[in-house]
Amino acid sequence: MKRIKTKILLLFYILISIISTSALATSDNDALYFYLVRHGQTYSNIKEMTIGGGGNAQLTAKGRYDARSLGLGLEDVNFIAGYSSTLGRAHETASNILTGRNMDIIEIENLKDISWGNAEGGRIDDLTSQYGHSGNEFEYYFGHYKDKNFKSIVNTENMYDFSQRFESALLDIANRHKNETGNILAVGHSSMAFYLQKYRQDQPLSGLSNTAVSVLKYKDGQFTLLDFNNTDYLKSGYAKQEKLLPLEISIVINPMTILNDANIMEGTSDSDLSKSGVAAVNQLKQHINPTDYFAVYSSTLNRAKYTANHLFENSPLPIQINRNLDEIFLGLWEAEKISTLEKEPEGQFAKLHSGTNVLNFVSPVDGETGAIAAYRLESLLRDIGIQNEFHTGKVMVVTHPIIFSAFLNKVQPEYQFIPKKDLQLITLQYKNEKFSVKNIQSFNGK
């Protein structure tokens, strides 16, 4: 019985110790806390390339997903500012982490990755075969963080010089917030571990995992390391991400115009809605609830703007006009009789109205290709998705049938979408950079 009581007492003291440590880490209201995050996975990471401060590599889809997931894992951390290095992979990571926070990201040159010198753009394996030392043997190529006289065999920036400039960046940021307290996001690179080694001298030198978090406390001119290479925030974000419903984007297409009724080809050529087209808009207006939406977009064409404005005429939401939503430009085919184009011998007109092969359309005379049209619509819809992925409301987008067909050919080629002559409401779902059609409804104005 005494042994059981002793174990219970020991567990109690351990729990009190953990709670006390946590309280010490978060209860100091007179300090700044730097959340240092390594950027998300890049294509150069996958290829094990030696790209440091002298170059950039794009984030992979996983890198962007992890950054947004980390943002969810850090959602209870109130940041007073966001910083990144001047390299694109760091800035893009910071943007994804801060999704929905309406916070500018300030770039700092001295947060940039350590330079690989002559080895920039190479591969880890090349270094191993040439010098007999893997690129992961950091001290062989970069020296020790205390050794300011180290000269690298491949002329890298040495670890000492990097640590000096990285700390100068942190002090610069601290000085910008000298009259403030709170949490600061700073996105950098794996080489941050070289600087942080001074605070963990009893531990072996280690790199940082992509989107891992390390925390430095800054008070009275001194830094204290509170956390190192923590991936628990990312794991928490994964769990939250899984529970989120997809973002719903309501795509509205209204081809019911005067030109279409007259069998005239209508790309970026424009005409008013027909009486049936106006009636169809009124039908849709009775079907939707404007309060379900938090954003509305329309192409620059009048037939789209009328549709958007009429649907939301009693809503305070502004209609965001964007040219990337415009219909495909058809060059000399614009405003041509459809009966004339149907005789076109190259088969391009058939592609244009196939619904399944629009992506391969090539305009015979000065127009836009299906691939280019699909790309510009995808770029906008993807931006809308990334910016609003964690929002619980809906987005409405008023665009046009041919460009939307090309877009679906690109992002969901297995889906057979055939545009109709009626107004169509397509519920498009977006999650984790993927689009899928949920359902389609038609309104004919009758």
Side-chain angles (χ1 to χ4, degrees):
M1 186 70 177
K2 179 183 269 187
R3 185 176 296 174
I4 293 173
K5 286 183 178 179
T6 302
K7 287 184 177 180
I8 291 173
L9 192 60
L10 180 59
L11 287 171
F12 175 76
Y13 281 124
I14 291 172
L15 181 60
I16 291 296
S17 175
I18 292 172
I19 293 172
S20 299
T21 302
S22 176
L24 284 172
T26 58
S27 64
D28 195 337
N29 294 324
D30 296 324
L32 291 171
Y33 294 89
F34 286 83
Y35 281 70
L36 305 179
V37 177
R38 184 190 176 190
H39 62 77
Q41 184 194 70
T42 65
Y43 287 99
S44 65
N45 293 151
I46 293 174
K47 296 179 179 180
E48 296 191 326
M49 297 178 69
T50 50
I51 291 183
N56 188 47
Q58 295 296 317
L59 296 187
T60 63
K62 173 176 168 53
R64 294 188 295 270
Y65 176 79
D66 286 355
R68 292 194 298 278
S69 296
L70 178 59
L72 284 176
L74 291 168
E75 66 180 351
D76 293 329
V77 178
N78 294 317
F79 291 112
I80 62 172
Y83 292 85
S84 81
S85 87
T86 52
L87 296 175
R89 57 190 183 269
H91 186 100
E92 187 177 3
T93 299
S95 295
N96 278 280
I97 291 171
L98 295 175
T99 295
R101 297 211 191 201
N102 194 28
M103 181 178 291
D104 292 333
I105 297 157
I106 302 168
E107 293 186 354
I108 302 287
E109 178 76 15
N110 280 337
L111 291 177
K112 201 164 68 169
D113 204 357
I114 197 168
S115 171
W116 270 100
N118 298 340
E120 282 282 359
R123 295 177 184 264
I124 299 293
D125 289 346
D126 295 339
L127 294 174
T128 305
S129 60
Q130 189 170 357
Y131 301 106
H133 292 267
S134 166
N136 293 318
E137 295 180 54
F138 302 129
E139 291 191 355
Y140 179 81
Y141 292 101
F142 299 105
H144 190 273
Y145 75 90
K146 290 183 178 180
D147 185 0
K148 63 182 178 181
N149 296 315
F150 176 80
K151 300 294 183 184
S152 170
I153 195 169
V154 291
N155 296 314
T156 65
E157 179 181 17
N158 70 39
M159 205 177 290
Y160 175 86
D161 289 342
F162 167 79
S163 297
Q164 292 296 303
R165 74 166 168 85
F166 188 83
E167 182 167 88
S168 74
L170 296 183
L171 291 172
D172 174 23
I173 295 171
N175 187 57
R176 298 181 189 209
H177 301 275
K178 60 185 176 182
N179 297 320
E180 300 176 73
T181 60
N183 306 306
I184 295 172
L185 176 70
V187 179
H189 307 268
S190 182
S191 51
M192 292 188 294
F194 301 161
Y195 167 72
L196 295 176
Q197 189 62 21
K198 68 187 287 186
Y199 304 108
R200 51 191 305 274
Q201 298 181 38
D202 58 335
Q203 301 292 323
L205 181 62
S206 168
L208 296 172
S209 301
N210 291 117
T211 53
V213 178
S214 301
V215 182
L216 278 176
K217 173 183 172 181
Y218 182 73
K219 184 177 181 181
D220 299 330
Q222 298 295 320
F223 289 104
T224 305
L225 183 64
L226 303 180
D227 204 354
F228 179 77
N229 201 31
N230 187 340
T231 59
D232 287 343
Y233 291 106
L234 178 60
K235 293 173 185 174
S236 172
Y238 282 157
K240 293 177 180 180
Q241 179 89 269
E242 285 298 316
K243 295 177 182 178
L244 286 175
L245 295 174
L247 174 69
E248 283 202 0
I249 303 175
S250 299
I251 303 291
V252 176
I253 293 170
N254 191 357
M256 303 172 72
T257 66
I258 293 172
L259 282 183
N260 268 326
D261 279 359
N263 289 317
I264 300 298
M265 192 69 230
E266 194 171 40
T268 55
S269 301
D270 207 4
S271 65
D272 291 342
L273 295 181
S274 64
K275 290 182 179 180
S276 296
V278 173
V281 173
N282 287 328
Q283 280 184 332
L284 177 58
K285 186 176 182 180
Q286 299 302 313
H287 179 77
I288 66 167
N289 183 356
T291 61
D292 290 341
Y293 294 87
F294 62 88
V296 186
Y297 294 81
S298 169
S299 85
T300 67
L301 302 178
N302 285 332
R303 59 190 185 268
K305 289 193 291 185
Y306 174 89
T307 300
N309 283 318
H310 194 66
L311 291 174
F312 288 85
E313 64 181 347
N314 296 318
S315 169
L317 289 177
I319 309 299
Q320 301 181 55
I321 307 299
N322 195 296
R323 193 170 296 278
N324 281 336
L325 296 171
D326 285 0
E327 182 60 288
I328 189 171
F329 172 60
L330 297 170
L332 289 180
W333 279 15
E334 290 286 346
E336 183 60 80
K337 293 179 180 179
I338 290 177
S339 58
T340 300
L341 297 178
E342 287 174 335
K343 301 173 185 177
E344 181 269 329
E346 303 298 326
Q348 294 300 329
F349 184 79
K351 289 180 183 178
L352 200 61
H353 287 81
S354 67
T356 57
N357 200 21
V358 185
L359 189 65
N360 296 316
F361 169 78
V362 178
S363 174
V365 190
D366 300 332
E368 192 175 17
T369 67
I372 291 174
Y375 174 79
R376 62 178 168 86
L377 179 56
E378 182 192 10
S379 66
L380 177 61
L381 293 181
R382 195 170 296 281
D383 283 347
I384 291 172
I386 289 172
Q387 293 168 16
N388 303 292
E389 187 169 11
F390 306 144
H391 208 293
T392 55
K394 299 179 184 179
V395 179
M396 178 167 284
V397 173
V398 184
T399 185
H400 305 276
I402 301 174
I403 190 173
F404 185 71
S405 295
F407 161 78
L408 274 188
N409 290 173
K410 185 174 190 294
V411 303
Q412 197 180 358
E414 71 281 3
Y415 189 87
Q416 302 297 306
F417 173 73
I418 306 296
K420 295 183 177 181
K421 292 185 177 181
D422 299 336
L423 183 154
Q424 289 180 287
L425 172 65
I426 302 107
T427 301
L428 191 68
Q429 294 185 319
Y430 175 89
K431 187 173 183 180
N432 303 342
E433 302 198 7
K434 294 181 180 178
F435 295 95
S436 61
V437 173
K438 182 180 179 182
N439 58 54
I440 298 178
Q441 297 168 276
S442 296
F443 301 83
N444 60 16
K446 297 177 181 178

